[in-house]
Amino acid sequence: MQYKLIFLALLFLSISSCKEGDGNKVLYLGHTLPQSHPVHKGILEFQNALEAKSGGTLKVKIFPDAQLGSEREVLELLQIGSVAATKVSAATLSNFVPEYHVLGIPYLFRDKQHQFDVLEGEIGKSILEKGSKFWLRGLCYYDAGSRSFYTSNKAIRTPDDLEGLKIRVMNNQMAINMVNSMGGSATPLAYGELYTAIQQGVVDGAENNPPSFVSSNHYEISKYYTLDQHSSVPDVLLIGTKFWEKLSAEEKVWVQEAADESAQAQKKFWSDSVDESMRIAREAGVEVIIPEKSLFAEKSKSVVEEFVKEFPEMAPIVNKIKNN
């Protein structure tokens, strides 16, 4: 029944096209995150900037909290034109646009500065443009931090400590290969089921960034958080080409400028959220471990080698990023 209601609502949005009665264009934007999340705050910046630049003729209506479905479902809605825009993880997007697989490579970026030099430069913009042939035009990247391991009963100080542990990962081949290469047992599992799975011992832990570790309340049942920072997969703000093509040249400029400005604001929201999340975790008694990251990076080298072997056309992008 719930999905039927969602379908009917989306059908109405599709029929209503992109205009209100007063002629203003409305950009429907759906995403899966709660309104307290720093990425949602970045999207609010996009909304405010776009309405200001357009003098109110371009409006953004936001549907957070997975109101319009999962990340994959909303991407499909963009492709058919029922929804104008969304924010998704580059990991999810890689199932639609192959070049985004590259951004999930473990230890691809040397540090945060290197990451955003790449993403906001020629390489990152080129990847954003690759989605247009799949009706998914990238506008900008949002900071989604670095993913690290957390466990319920055993501390991870070196890769050897992962041996025999069931670690929940996204249903993404790169993430699965990475955990397995380090000695763990990668276990794809729906995010909504993870709290109970850790609590009941179905899995021994998971991997995610600090804001997600805290907002999901996983810090309540995970005693150890190891900041190995194995991957830094960004989020991507996207607009469907079916909506994009309805915009005038001037409106397209406004949309892109608003997106770029929101990305810069979102970095600060993210940084503040990381600091606050780590404070909450430590005060709750979580042991935060700073390991020797090179040990984990060494173990995951085989993942990169296998990826380049399977997708040789991606090798030039990987090399450009490493040499950037």
Side-chain angles (χ1 to χ4, degrees), residues 195-270:
Y195 187 101
T196 301
I198 295 173
Q199 195 174 42
Q200 296 179 350
V202 175
V203 295
D204 300 294
E207 45 89 51
N208 217 322
N209 55 60
S212 296
F213 177 55
V214 170
S215 64
S216 62
N217 294 322
H218 294 168
Y219 73 99
E220 296 174 349
I221 51 174
S222 301
K223 299 177 183 177
Y224 307 100
Y225 193 21
T226 303
L227 299 181
D228 65 298
Q229 300 177 322
H230 46 256
S231 63
S232 300
V233 183
D235 281 338
V236 185
L237 182 64
L238 297 156
I239 189 167
T241 57
K242 291 185 182 297
F243 185 89
W244 179 259
E245 289 162 3
K246 295 176 183 177
L247 301 176
S248 68
E250 184 177 37
E251 289 170 334
K252 289 176 180 177
V253 170
W254 292 336
V255 169
Q256 187 61 63
E257 288 180 349
D260 291 340
E261 290 175 15
S262 74
Q264 297 309 310
Q266 190 270 338
K267 287 182 191 178
K268 180 66 166 60
F269 296 141
W270 186 267

Side-chain angles (χ1 to χ4, degrees), residues 68-262:
L68 303 184
S70 68
E71 286 194 334
R72 184 181 185 91
E73 288 167 339
V74 179
L75 283 171
E76 291 170 349
L77 293 171
L78 256 69
Q79 289 180 313
I80 64 175
S82 292
V83 175
T86 190
K87 184 294 307 171
V88 298
S89 168
T92 304
L93 193 51
S94 67
N95 296 312
F96 293 75
V97 186
E99 285 77 6
Y100 283 99
H101 279 297
V102 172
L103 302 182
I105 290 175
Y107 299 104
L108 176 66
F109 303 111
R110 294 186 294 275
D111 51 34
K112 183 74 72 177
Q113 185 64 51
H114 177 223
Q115 180 186 12
F116 278 96
D117 284 347
V118 169
L119 295 180
E120 295 172 355
E122 176 190 342
I123 300 169
K125 289 177 181 177
S126 173
I127 294 173
L128 289 176
E129 291 168 2
K130 297 291 185 184
S132 292
K133 61 185 175 184
F134 302 100
W135 306 286
L136 300 167
R137 180 185 178 87
L139 292 173
C140 68
Y141 298 95
Y142 284 151
D143 193 353
S146 297
R147 301 177 75 92
S148 294
F149 293 114
Y150 53 89
T151 46
S152 54
N153 293 310
K154 180 183 177 182
I156 298 172
R157 304 184 191 279
T158 71
D160 291 342
D161 295 322
L162 281 162
E163 194 70 39
L165 295 186
K166 296 188 291 294
I167 302 295
R168 180 268 176 185
V169 294
M170 297 180 289
N171 191 15
N172 172 273
Q173 197 59 50
M174 185 81 73
I176 293 170
N177 293 346
M178 180 200 65
V179 170
N180 289 341
S181 74
M182 292 182 184
S185 177
T187 308
L189 187 71
Y191 192 61
E193 300 171 11
L194 183 51
Y195 187 101
T196 301
I198 295 173
Q199 195 174 42
Q200 296 179 350
V202 175
V203 295
D204 300 294
E207 45 89 51
N208 217 322
N209 55 60
S212 296
F213 177 55
V214 170
S215 64
S216 62
N217 294 322
H218 294 168
Y219 73 99
E220 296 174 349
I221 51 174
S222 301
K223 299 177 183 177
Y224 307 100
Y225 193 21
T226 303
L227 299 181
D228 65 298
Q229 300 177 322
H230 46 256
S231 63
S232 300
V233 183
D235 281 338
V236 185
L237 182 64
L238 297 156
I239 189 167
T241 57
K242 291 185 182 297
F243 185 89
W244 179 259
E245 289 162 3
K246 295 176 183 177
L247 301 176
S248 68
E250 184 177 37
E251 289 170 334
K252 289 176 180 177
V253 170
W254 292 336
V255 169
Q256 187 61 63
E257 288 180 349
D260 291 340
E261 290 175 15
S262 74

Side-chain angles (χ1 to χ4, degrees), residues 102 108-109 114 118 123 317-324:
V102 172
L108 176 66
F109 303 111
H114 177 223
V118 169
I123 300 169
I317 303 176
V318 175
N319 291 332
K320 277 185 180 178
I321 291 174
K322 288 185 174 180
N323 296 325
N324 190 81

